[in-house]
Each structure stands twice: as structure tokens, then as C-alpha cells.
Amino acid sequence: MGVKDLYRTWMFLFIGFAYYSNCNLTRYDQYQLWRVRPTNVHGFNLLHKMAVNEASEVDFWTLPVKNTSNIDILVHPNLQNYLKKQLHDAGIKHNVIIDDLQKNIEKERNTISDEGVRKRQKKPFKLSQYHTYDEIQWFINNLQTSYPDKCTVFTIGKSADDRNLTLVKIGTKGKMKPAIWMDCGVHAREWISPATCLYLTFRLLDDYQRGNTAVIDLVDHYDLYILPLANPDGYEYTWTNTRLWRKSRSRNRKSRCIGVDLNRNWGYRWMEGGASQTPCSDIYAGAKPFSEPETKAIADFIMKHQYKWTAYLTLHRL
């Protein structure tokens, strides 16, 4: 299958029908996204206390860390007046970035609605659009078919809900070369992350074939390992249930709360700061380092090939 065939045979989207009419989708009517700017130590400490408070209903899209000038927070409509006063008293300025988050979510979903899916069935896989886990798997597997000399696709493990962790290797055959790792989609709700990984993967393969000298030089001298979706369970859950879900979907012992923040489940400096031991927290670090099948699979693969690595890149939404 050639490049044109890959673009013209996109017929897999009918699977998405069930996703977009799901009545279980969490709504965010009148939720507001604020950008806050602490101007003194007292203001910074107040925001930090909110961020680590397990009972806080403020969703920090940007965690308050030193030298962070702008912090984005999602505020429940019932908290908005109270929080305005708290911020004012602490000398913290804020701007409303999104007035009603639900409207933005509906605008986003208009491009992936039932009608939209039907219209896209006979059209190519668009890298400018978001796609479900199954659609992404289809696209990745067809890259190997289209670029067999430069692309190898394999599974390095399974997620908690038994989805594949699919890795793409881009490189020329021959002697062993230094390697670069890139992963995306660690936080489920950051759809732009796996979308970016898919775009970069395709551009590297297609631009090599088209004779781009910079890409040829890169691919000829390095092996690139790209994991477009490190948290497939959480990602899929953002399509079917809760758009702002962040963690994985593993079951926690002795807690009704689901999932672990995979970005805080690594062994290096585990639970030293910016993480929680409470399973209901969005920054729950897990019961122990590498407790999650996703992080363990990544770590096992990297350690197995540890002599090769030149760089480790992980893509997140700012």
C-alpha cells in the first residue's frame, strides 16, 4: 500500500459512531478556565495549597511551581464568586480565558459527531483532526505497510484494560545507531500530544521518502522510537465518558477511585514532591514506583536497550 492508498482507504471511522452519541459524557456547563498570576509569596503559597489539597474542587491545568508566572485553573461555577474574593484578598490577578468550557467541548465534538464521522468515512485520515484509540492503531499499522524500509511497528506491553502500547521505530537498516525516545499521551485529556506524535511520525517517514535532506540526515544517523499513546485507556475514556480525565484507568486497592497519574509513577524521585498518595487525586503517584503496566512496559523497554539512548522526549500540553 502506497502513500496515496493509505490516505484514500480510510474506512475505519464507522467504529466511532458509538462514541459520540454516548449519553454518559460528563458536562462542564459554565465551568470557567482562569489564568491566575501570583505576584507575591503569599499568593503563590495559597495556590500551591489549593493544588495539593485533596478536597479542593479547583482543577489545576498548570501546577504552581517556582518561576511559573501564569497558572491555568478550571473553576466550578459554584466556586467562582468565592474564589474571586480569595484571589483578590491574596493580591492574585486573574483573567477568564474560557467563559463556558462546555461550549468549547461541544465545538470540538462537532468535528467528531455522528454526522461528521459519516462524512469522513470516504475521506483520508486527517492528521489535523483528533482520532480514537482504534483509529490511531489503524493509522500506525498502515504506516509500516507504506514505509516498510524505514518503519517498524511493535507492541511493548499492555495497558491496565488490555490495550496495546504500540511503538513505532523509524530508522534505516544496518548498523546499530544512537536512539531517541519520544512518548505522547501520558495525560489522557491532552489530545494535542498524541496528535502531534502522529504528525511528527508521518512527516519523518514521508519527508525522508520525498528527499528532505535534514530528515534523511537525522534518520540515517539515529533510530527514533515513538510511542504515540502511552495512556490508551485514559485517552479512550476521554472520548466515551469524561473529556477532562487525566489519569490511567487501573483499579486501586482499598479505594473506589480509578487511575494513576502515569507522569508521577516513575521511579526517579518518586513521591518527593508535586504528587499525591491519595488515589482520588489527579496527581496520585500510584502505590509504588512503576506500579502501572504502562510505565513498567516503557521502563522495561528502555532499560533493555539502555546503551543506545541519546535523548528522551515526552510531549505534554503546556
Side-chain angles (χ1 to χ4, degrees), residues 35-313:
R35 179 158 294 164
V36 299
R37 296 178 298 281
T39 56
N40 52 53
V41 174
H42 173 64
F44 177 84
N45 289 339
L46 173 66
L47 292 171
H48 184 267
K49 188 178 294 185
M50 287 183 189
V52 299
N53 181 5
E54 311 297 349
S56 174
E57 294 188 37
V58 178
D59 183 1
F60 278 77
W61 287 19
T62 310
L63 290 175
V65 294
K66 289 182 179 179
N67 301 320
T68 302
S69 56
N70 293 324
I71 299 169
D72 292 344
I73 59 176
L74 185 68
V75 186
H76 188 286
N78 293 342
L79 289 177
Q80 289 163 13
N81 289 334
Y82 171 74
L83 190 57
K84 282 178 185 177
K85 185 178 186 307
Q86 269 199 311
L87 296 179
H88 179 269
D89 292 346
I92 301 174
K93 298 179 180 179
H94 83 280
N95 292 96
V96 178
I97 304 301
I98 297 176
D99 185 61
D100 186 343
L101 184 63
Q102 185 60 34
K103 291 180 180 179
N104 288 65
I105 291 175
E106 288 172 358
K107 183 178 179 181
E108 177 185 67
R109 287 198 174 272
N110 282 339
T111 65
I112 53 175
S113 64
D114 287 358
E115 182 179 0
V117 170
R118 284 191 285 271
K119 288 180 179 178
R120 289 158 56 196
Q121 274 189 357
K122 296 182 180 180
K123 293 184 179 180
F125 184 102
K126 290 187 177 181
L127 290 165
S128 60
Q129 292 177 331
Y130 295 124
H131 296 280
T132 66
Y133 164 80
D134 286 326
E135 295 166 11
I136 290 172
Q137 292 296 105
W138 182 93
F139 181 72
I140 291 172
N141 289 325
N142 276 278
L143 286 176
Q144 181 173 252
T145 304
S146 299
Y147 305 95
D149 294 336
K150 304 293 182 295
C151 178
T152 306
V153 175
F154 48 96
T155 300
I156 63 170
K158 294 280 190 176
S159 68
D161 285 343
D162 204 39
R163 291 185 174 88
N164 288 339
L165 298 171
T166 306
L167 188 68
V168 181
K169 178 187 176 183
I170 298 175
T172 53
K173 296 180 179 179
K175 65 178 183 179
M176 185 180 68
K177 301 186 289 292
I180 297 172
W181 172 276
M182 178 185 295
D183 61 48
C184 294
V186 170
H187 289 142
R189 65 192 184 188
E190 297 172 11
W191 286 7
I192 192 64
S193 174
T196 302
C197 251
L198 292 177
Y199 178 80
L200 290 174
T201 301
F202 174 76
R203 285 262 57 90
L204 287 168
L205 292 168
D206 196 56
D207 285 1
Y208 190 104
Q209 184 166 289
R210 292 173 182 270
N212 184 308
T213 55
V215 172
I216 290 172
D217 185 60
L218 175 66
V219 174
D220 284 351
H221 289 88
Y222 292 90
D223 288 328
L224 296 100
Y225 292 85
I226 303 175
L227 183 66
L229 207 48
N231 180 9
D233 299 342
Y235 180 79
E236 191 70 354
Y237 192 73
T238 63
W239 283 73
T240 59
N241 291 76
T242 302
R243 177 62 183 86
L244 297 186
W245 186 260
R246 171 185 167 94
K247 300 187 289 182
S248 68
R249 293 294 299 167
S250 60
R251 279 58 178 172
N252 295 306
R253 294 181 179 180
K254 299 180 181 179
S255 175
R256 60 177 175 79
C257 295
I258 300 294
V260 168
D261 182 349
L262 298 179
N263 202 40
R264 285 157 175 78
N265 192 236
W266 308 108
Y268 179 69
R269 300 182 69 176
W270 180 78
M271 276 302 305
E272 284 192 18
S276 172
Q277 293 180 315
T278 302
C280 295
S281 170
D282 266 351
I283 54 174
Y284 174 52
K288 61 182 180 179
F290 302 116
S291 61
E292 304 310 294
E294 297 88 353
T295 52
K296 188 175 187 306
I298 294 171
D300 287 348
F301 182 85
I302 288 175
M303 294 305 295
K304 184 178 179 181
H305 306 87
Q306 60 181 302
Y307 51 85
K308 298 181 62 173
W309 303 110
T310 301
Y312 185 113
L313 308 173

